[in-house]
C-alpha cells in the first residue's frame, strides 16, 4: 500500500529508454537505425510499435521455416537484427503423424508397419527405414493399391457432395488451403483453362487424365478470393459437361472444407499444389501432410517447400517459378503486367475467355474485376510464373505415364518426411528456446 503502480505506458517508456541507450552506445550517430528500431512511432501522433516491442521484450524470435526466418532478418526485422544479431532463430513447423498418417491413412500405416515395423509410430524419423523399398516393385504395387483405395474413397465424397463423377485412375491434382491471392489458386485455375483449350484443340494427343481438386475458405469480406472460388466452380461446370473432354479433365471445388474432409483428401492426392508467390508463405503445413501421404509436390521455392526439397531430394519434387530474391528484384526493376500477359498467348487467351463470359454466359462481366487486377497490378506475379508452371505440369504428365518412377518418388516422399514431425519441432523449442528437458 502506498507504492506507485507502474502503468503500461510507463513500463514501455522505460524499455524504450534502455533500447535507445543501447543503440546509441553500439551504433553512435546512427539516427536512421535508432528511428527504425524505436518502440514509439512519432508520425501522426505517438503510437507504440507493437512488433518492435514484442521483439525487444523477447529473448528469442523465431520464424517457422528457414526461408521465413531468413527473410525476417532482411526485411521486417532487419534493423532490430543488427542490434540483436543472436535473437532471431528458426523453428520449422511440423505436423503430427498421429493424425495425418495413422488416423487419416490407416491403410498406409498398416502397410508401413508390415514393411518396416512399429518403430516409426513413436519416432517418425524411422520412416527413413522405408527408403530401400522404393526400389522394390512388389512394395510399390502395394503402395499404389493403398493410394487407389484412398482415391476411390475421395471420389465417392466428390460424388456425394458435388455430384461430379471422377475417375480414380486419373491423376488427383489437389490444392486445398485458405483462399488467398498470394496462394495463387487463380494461377492454378488459369493454367487449367489453358490445358482445357489445348485438349480441345488437340483431342487425339495422349493426354494424362486429371482431376483438379480445390477446397478452402475465404474471409467473409475478401471479395477477390470469393471471386476465385466462383470462377473455379464456373470453370468446372463448363469443363465437366463438355463431351469433347470427357474424363480427360475434371474440375471440382469441395465445399465446407474442414479437418475431417482434409483427412480424406490428403491420403488421396497424387499431386500437391504449393504454388504461392515466393517469399510470401511463412511455412505451410499442408505441403507436409500431402508429402507424408505419398503425394509429389509442385511448388515454388517458398516457405517449407525449401526444406521439403532438401529432405526428399530435387528428383522427387517439381520446383518452378521465381525465387524470393527474383521476386524482389522484379519489383525493384518495375513490373509491367500488361506487357507480360500480352507476351504469353496461352495466358492472354485464358483471360480473354474469362473476361468474355465463356465461363459465365449469364453474366459476362462477372470476372471483369479479377481480369482487370491481372492487367493492372498482378501483385502476386501470376503472369511471370505462368509459363514455368505450365511447363512443370506437362513434365509431370510425362512422369505420370511411367508409373514405376512416379510410385518410386511417392514412396521416397513418405520415407523422407519424418523430420517434419511436430515432435521434432517441439523438441527444438524445448531445447533451444524454453530451456526445458526433452524426454
Amino acid at each position: 500500500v502506498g507504492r506507485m503502480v507502474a502503468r503500461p505506458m510507463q513500463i514501455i517508456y522505460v524499455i524504450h529508454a534502455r533500447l535507445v541507450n543501447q543503440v546509441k552506445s553500439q551504433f553512435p550517430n546512427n539516427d536512421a537505425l535508432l528511428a527504425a528500431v524505436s518502440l514509439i512511432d512519432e508520425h501522426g501522433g505517438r503510437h507504440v510499435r507493437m512488433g518492435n516491442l514484442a521483439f525487444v521484450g523477447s529473448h528469442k524470435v523465431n520464424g517457422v521455416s528457414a526461408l521465413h526466418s531468413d527473410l525476417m532478418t532482411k526485411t521486417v526485422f532487419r534493423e532490430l537484427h543488427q542490434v540483436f544479431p543472436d535473437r532471431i532463430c528458426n523453428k520449422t513447423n511440423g505436423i503430427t503423424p498421429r493424425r495425418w498418417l495413422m488416423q487419416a491413412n490407416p491403410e498406409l500405416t498398416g502397410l508401413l508397419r508390415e514393411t518396416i515395423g512399429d518403430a516409426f509410430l513413436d519416432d517418425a524419423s524411422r520412416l527413413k527405414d522405408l527408403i530401400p523399398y522404393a526400389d522394390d516393385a512388389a512394395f510399390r504395387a502395394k503402395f499404389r493399391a493403398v493410394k487407389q483405395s484412398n482415391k476411390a474413397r475421395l471420389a465417392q465424397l466428390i460424388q456425394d457432395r458435388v455430384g461430379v463423377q471422377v475417375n480414380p485412375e486419373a491423376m488427383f491434382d489437389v490444392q486445398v488451403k485458405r483462399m488467398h491471392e498470394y496462394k495463387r489458386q487463380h494461377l492454378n485455375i488459369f493454367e487449367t483453362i489453358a490445358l482445357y483449350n489445348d485438349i480441345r484443340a488437340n483431342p487425339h494427343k495422349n493426354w494424362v487424365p486429371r482431376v483438379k481438386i480445390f477446397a478452402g475458405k475465404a474471409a467473409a469480406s475478401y471479395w477477390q478470393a470469393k471471386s476465385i472460388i466462383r470462377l473455379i466452380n464456373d470453370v468446372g461446370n463448363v469443363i465437366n459437361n463438355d463431351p469433347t473432354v470427357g474424363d480427360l479433365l475434371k474440375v471440382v471445388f469441395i465445399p465446407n472444407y474442414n479437418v475431417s474432409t482434409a483427412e480424406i483428401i490428403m491420403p488421396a492426392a497424387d499431386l500437391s499444389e504449393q504454388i504461392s508467390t515466393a517469399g510470401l508463405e511463412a511455412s505451410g503445413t499442408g505441403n507436409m501432410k500431402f508429402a507424408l501421404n505419398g503425394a509429389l509436390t509442385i511448388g515454388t521455392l517458398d516457405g517449407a517447400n525449401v526444406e521439403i526439397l532438401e529432405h526428399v531430394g530435387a528428383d522427387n519434387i517439381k520446383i518452378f517459378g521465381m525465387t524470393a530474391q527474383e521476386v524482389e528484384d522484379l519489383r525493384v526493376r518495375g513490373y509491367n503486367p500488361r506487357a507480360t500477359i500480352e507476351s504469353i498467348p496461352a495466358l492472354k487467351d485464358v483471360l480473354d475467355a474469362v473476361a468474355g463470359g465463356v465461363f459465365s454466359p449469364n453474366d459476362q462481366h462477372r470476372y471483369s474485376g479479377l481480369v482487370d487486377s491481372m492487367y493492372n497490378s498482378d501483385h502476386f506475379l501470376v503472369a511471370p510464373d505462368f509459363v514455368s508452371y505450365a511447363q512443370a505440369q506437362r513434365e509431370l504428365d510425362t512422369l505420370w505415364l511411367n508409373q514405376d518412377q512416379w510410385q518410386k518418388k511417392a514412396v521416397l516422399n513418405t520415407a523422407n518426411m519424418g523430420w517434419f514431425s511436430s515432435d521434432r519441432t517441439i523438441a527444438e523449442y524445448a531445447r533451444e528456446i524454453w530451456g526445458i528437458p526433452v524426454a
Side-chain angles (χ1 to χ4, degrees), residues 124 144 305 326 340 392:
R144 185 181 184 189
N305 290 349
E326 288 169 339
T340 303

Side-chain angles (χ1 to χ4, degrees), residues 63-66 90-94 288 304 307 419-420 424-425 428:
V64 292
S65 73
N90 178 64
K91 296 289 169 280
T92 298
N93 275 342
M288 304 171 193
E307 284 133 306
W419 185 82
F420 294 92
R424 185 269 314 156
T425 310
E428 287 184 2

Side-chain angles (χ1 to χ4, degrees), residues 324-341:
Q325 186 59 56
E326 288 169 339
V327 166
E328 179 62 23
D329 291 345
L330 177 59
R331 295 197 194 282
V332 170
R333 290 197 309 270
Y335 168 48
N336 185 334
R338 184 173 295 274
T340 303
I341 291 167

Side-chain angles (χ1 to χ4, degrees), residues 2-15 18:
R3 292 183 178 179
M4 180 179 292
V5 177
R7 295 177 180 178
M9 283 307 301
Q10 290 176 311
I11 297 172
I12 291 171
Y13 279 125
V14 169
I15 297 170
R18 291 178 178 176

Side-chain angles (χ1 to χ4, degrees), residues 3 16 23 49-50 78 116 132 207 221 240 243 262 269 277 335:
R3 292 183 178 179
H16 176 66
V23 174
R49 290 173 167 168
M50 297 303 293
R78 182 182 60 191
I116 61 173
W207 297 103
S221 61
N240 299 342
T277 311
Y335 168 48

Side-chain angles (χ1 to χ4, degrees), residues 161 215-217 253-262:
R161 291 199 192 174
K217 295 180 179 179
F253 187 95
I254 299 174
N256 302 319
Y257 182 62
N258 57 22
V259 171
S260 296
T261 303

Side-chain angles (χ1 to χ4, degrees), residues 115-135:
T115 306
I116 61 173
D118 290 350
F120 76 93
L121 298 175
D122 294 318
D123 179 3
S125 69
R126 294 295 297 274
L127 284 169
K128 282 190 175 291
D129 295 346
L130 191 64
I131 291 174
Y133 292 91
D135 292 317

Side-chain angles (χ1 to χ4, degrees), residues 370-411:
L370 178 60
V371 173
D372 286 348
S373 73
M374 283 290 299
Y375 277 102
N376 297 324
S377 171
D378 188 21
H379 181 71
F380 298 101
L381 305 179
V382 167
D385 274 350
F386 183 85
V387 171
S388 177
Y389 178 60
Q391 180 179 343
Q393 293 285 20
R394 302 293 73 80
E395 290 170 359
L396 287 164
D397 283 342
T398 300
L399 177 61
W400 180 262
L401 295 173
N402 185 341
Q403 276 296 306
D404 275 347
Q405 283 300 306
W406 185 285
Q407 295 304 322
K408 178 178 179 179
K409 294 175 188 295
V411 171

